[in-house]
Amino acid sequence: MDIFTSLVIPALVGIGIGILSGMLGIGGGTVLVPIFRLAFGMSPIMSTATSLFTIIPTSVSGAVSHVRHKTCVPSLGLAAGLGGACTSPIGVWLATISPAWMVMLAAALIIGYSAVNMLRKAWKMKPARPAAPAQA
């Protein structure tokens, strides 16, 4: 494996993930698992496991920025994070005993469901109207 394939491409993917993670609150499972699986040819288990390594640094960095800007609910995030951390080993166990196609199907269904709901909510949002010009 040459240096470009082993360091440069993953670093560029990481930059993109960092920007998307901060902007949209996504990363690991939503973007990285498909990239690892399709672009890097990793197995489903290896793709999900490797994406977990990006969660801590991107989450901490993004969370600190959002707390500073008061654009989050830290208690809700902490509660959800603790619940996820406590039950994640169960998910790992389920992934290791499941066929690879089932792991990818579950990921695709969750990503697809999220995408459809987000698009539906975006279409319902009313576009902001520009302020009327001041009349003299």
Side-chain angles (χ1 to χ4, degrees), residues 4-31:
F4 187 75
T5 307
S6 62
L7 292 176
V8 175
I9 293 176
L12 292 173
V13 169
I15 289 169
I17 296 304
I19 292 168
L20 287 173
S21 178
M23 240 173 71
L24 307 173
I26 62 170
T30 308
V31 179

Side-chain angles (χ1 to χ4, degrees), residues 1 3 5-6 16 18 26 33 37-39 50 52 56 69 71 74 89 97 109 123 128 133-135:
M1 199 181 261
I3 190 123
T5 307
S6 62
I26 62 170
V33 171
R37 182 78 177 112
L38 301 172
T50 304
L52 291 173
I56 293 172
H69 291 100
T71 55
I97 64 169
L109 289 173
W123 282 321
Q135 298 194 2

Side-chain angles (χ1 to χ4, degrees), residues 22-122:
M23 240 173 71
L24 307 173
I26 62 170
T30 308
V31 179
L32 278 178
V33 171
I35 288 174
F36 287 153
R37 182 78 177 112
L38 301 172
F40 292 96
M42 298 169 98
S43 72
I45 296 290
M46 191 177 288
S47 298
T48 55
T50 304
S51 75
L52 291 173
F53 283 97
T54 68
I55 291 171
I56 293 172
T58 57
S59 294
V60 168
S61 172
V64 167
S65 295
H66 280 292
V67 167
R68 283 184 185 155
H69 291 100
K70 297 182 182 188
T71 55
C72 66
V73 182
S75 60
L76 179 61
L78 187 59
L82 287 173
C86 291
T87 56
S88 182
I90 296 168
V92 171
W93 173 72
L94 288 170
T96 58
I97 64 169
S98 300
W101 66 266
M102 193 179 290
V103 174
M104 288 292 100
L105 177 64
L109 289 173
I110 291 167
I111 292 167
Y113 176 78
S114 297
V116 168
N117 280 325
M118 289 176 77
L119 283 171
R120 194 174 331 162
K121 287 181 181 182

